[in-house]
Amino acid sequence: MEQVVRTAVLVSGSGTNLQALIDAADPRVELDLVLSDRFDAGGLARAISAGIDTVVEAWGGDRDSFTERVVGRLLDRGIELVVLAGFMRILGKEAVEAFSGRIVNIHPSLLPSFPGSNAVSAALAHGVKVTGVTVHLVDEIVDHGPILAQEAVPVVDGDSVESLHKRIQAVEHRLYPRVVGELADRIAHGRSAVGL
Ligand code: GRF
């Protein structure tokens, strides 16, 4: 029988990557919880429509206390895999330790180029001809951990931040469900995720 991995998706925004994970309906990935730091995150409505439990853990205090509350929520639910999908808060050391090798993030550039929250506009401003998407494990440094997958996206003449981000997101929606499924498979079988 296929082994199922209890998965939480963390969102702050519209949640189109969450939607891609919902639509993929990978039998290895049980979408058990959607957690947001914002009450107005569009991802919460997507989760509710899909019948997934939601929780809001609002930012407050410092990073360590916020991380402690988030980790507590995830451990209480028996979460095994944490998928960051446009989650705009940086989780502290406690999260990386509690879910070592089991927190994954998607970033709209080819890391290590253009880390940070303005990756698409930074790539455009720099004049690169190719940017892309990176899926990586989360460590204690922002947009930094071991890379699981990358895919290039060309920058075309006349691109705006919006048009480029739209093409990047189309790749994200295809890539993220595949890599999350593969990672769940590795977790279910107790194997290392690095070298997917
Ligand atoms: C994505 O572009 C992702 O790469 C970045 O945040 C964005 C989230 O978009 N980390 P959405 O909320 O999934 O639509």
Side-chain angles (χ1 to χ4, degrees):
M1 203 186 88
E2 194 113 46
Q3 293 186 58
V4 166
V5 173
R6 288 172 73 84
T7 302
V9 184
L10 275 51
V11 299
S12 300
S14 70
T16 64
N17 280 285
L18 166 65
Q19 190 65 53
L21 291 160
I22 292 168
D23 294 344
D26 190 318
R28 300 168 295 187
V29 180
E30 179 186 312
L31 296 175
D32 191 62
L33 182 70
V34 170
L35 181 147
S36 180
D37 60 316
R38 299 178 57 115
F39 288 95
D40 61 353
L44 292 172
R46 295 178 190 274
I48 291 163
S49 297
I52 303 166
D53 286 352
T54 60
V55 64
V56 175
E57 187 56 65
W59 177 262
D62 57 15
R63 183 180 301 166
D64 285 346
S65 65
F66 177 72
T67 300
E68 189 180 336
R69 297 196 304 277
V70 170
V71 168
R73 299 266 196 194
L74 300 175
L75 292 177
D76 282 351
R77 296 284 299 213
I79 295 298
E80 302 162 279
L81 170 60
V82 180
V83 177
L84 305 185
F87 188 61
M88 299 307 286
R89 299 290 178 183
I90 298 165
L91 292 171
K93 192 173 174 204
E94 188 185 337
V96 177
E97 285 174 357
F99 295 97
S100 175
R102 293 180 291 127
I103 311 181
V104 65
N105 183 43
I106 189 159
H107 184 76
S109 77
L110 294 176
L111 291 172
S113 292
F114 309 118
S117 61
N118 62 347
V120 179
S121 58
L124 204 55
H126 201 89
V128 296
K129 301 300 179 197
V130 177
T131 182
V133 176
T134 301
V135 180
H136 67 96
L137 294 176
V138 171
D139 66 10
E140 285 175 47
I141 302 170
V142 176
D143 298 329
H144 176 269
I147 290 171
L148 301 181
Q150 289 186 306
E151 192 168 318
V153 174
V155 180
V156 300
D157 286 349
D159 252 341
S160 61
V161 173
E162 292 70 32
S163 65
L164 180 55
H165 198 198
K166 195 171 169 200
R167 275 202 321 288
I168 286 173
Q169 285 224 299
V171 172
E172 290 184 340
H173 299 159
R174 182 164 41 71
L175 190 63
Y176 214 14
R178 175 172 73 71
V179 179
V180 168
E182 289 170 0
L183 181 54
D185 206 51
R186 298 244 169 177
I187 291 169
H189 295 94
R191 284 175 276 140
S192 164
V194 178
L196 276 179

